[in-house]
Amino acid sequence: QAGGLVAVPTDTVYGVACLAQDPGAVRSIYSLKGRNGSKPLAICLGDVDHIYRYCHVNVPDELLQDLLPGPVTLVLKRSEELNKDLNPFTSLVGVRIPNHPFIRELARACSGPLALTSANISSQASTLTVLEFQDLWPQLSLIIDGGPVGDVQSPECRLGSTVVDLSVSGKFSIIRPGCALTSTVEILRQKYGLIPESS
């Protein structure tokens, strides 16, 4: 609530979260990451039905339920409810509901969405244990050590969530292949008949 940054375990890699509706906290997350301001932050919610408050959804609810919670970030058109200072350069926002009980409870306990990014300096490898991002500790208000996340031996884990743009009706576009590409594309194409947007 005070605008701090908190490191949290997710179902893929360790993340850093703050309140997405707090402009100061959002600025802090960018400086922590050493990230340029035109790279968007995702929001993290506790439950699928919360998505409708912050996004304009143009896919069936069942599709959301099939992919979430899980290691997928869905990019949708943002609604007016979302903090204007969060990704002001785009009308879209990525939404994440990790399949991890702790972060879902945390998201439910907060009044608005969390802004969520991976716990690493931009362009460095994602982290699967808290020791792997020790260099960030001094800038964090709290570190939740959930033990190793994902599979430390599997390079796929470090890819983070699969990011898919669903903002164009009837189509999908893969922004980042991530760790759940095959299963995600299968659901979108086979079950819902979405077609890949030509890049």
Side-chain angles (χ1 to χ4, degrees):
Q1 302 284 28
L5 307 182
V6 176
V8 288
T10 76
D11 53 354
T12 53
V13 297
Y14 268 85
V16 173
C18 71
L19 294 182
Q21 305 292 68
D22 178 338
V26 168
R27 279 194 298 278
S28 299
I29 230 169
Y30 274 101
S31 75
L32 170 91
K33 295 272 292 185
R35 180 179 203 170
N36 83 42
S38 64
K39 216 173 162 198
L41 289 170
I43 59 169
C44 170
L45 300 167
D47 296 289
V48 171
D49 55 345
H50 298 170
I51 293 176
Y52 293 90
R53 185 167 170 193
Y54 302 104
C55 301
H56 298 294
V57 180
N58 55 0
V59 293
D61 187 65
E62 199 189 349
L63 186 157
L64 301 182
Q65 305 281 353
D66 278 343
L67 293 177
L68 302 172
V72 183
T73 300
L74 300 182
V75 177
L76 299 161
K77 285 201 164 41
R78 60 193 285 158
S79 78
E80 291 297 302
E81 284 278 315
L82 203 55
N83 172 12
K84 305 277 182 295
D85 292 316
L86 184 82
N87 315 334
F89 45 83
T90 172
S91 60
L92 306 176
V93 67
V95 181
R96 183 97 160 77
I97 301 178
N99 191 12
H100 191 289
F102 174 79
I103 192 166
R104 292 186 67 194
E105 283 299 318
L106 179 66
R108 289 184 191 117
C110 294
S111 52
L114 298 172
L116 183 67
T117 182
S118 53
N120 58 318
I121 306 263
S122 272
S123 81
Q124 292 184 5
S126 320
T127 54
L128 303 180
T129 70
V130 294
L131 285 174
E132 288 182 352
F133 57 89
Q134 245 174 315
D135 49 341
L136 300 182
W137 289 7
Q139 298 171 72
L140 299 169
S141 301
L142 181 69
I143 295 146
I144 305 293
D145 187 351
V149 295
D151 174 357
V152 182
Q153 299 310 313
S154 154
E156 277 73 49
C157 270
R158 290 188 194 268
L159 298 174
S161 62
T162 294
V163 182
V164 56
D165 185 337
L166 296 176
S167 62
V168 178
S169 287
K171 299 188 175 177
F172 72 91
S173 159
I174 301 295
I175 295 173
R176 179 174 76 191
C179 61
L181 180 64
T182 313
S183 56
T184 302
V185 168
E186 200 168 284
I187 288 171
L188 295 175
R189 293 188 81 145
Q190 311 299 325
K191 187 167 179 185
Y192 294 97
L194 297 188
I195 55 173
E197 212 177 336
S198 49
S199 44

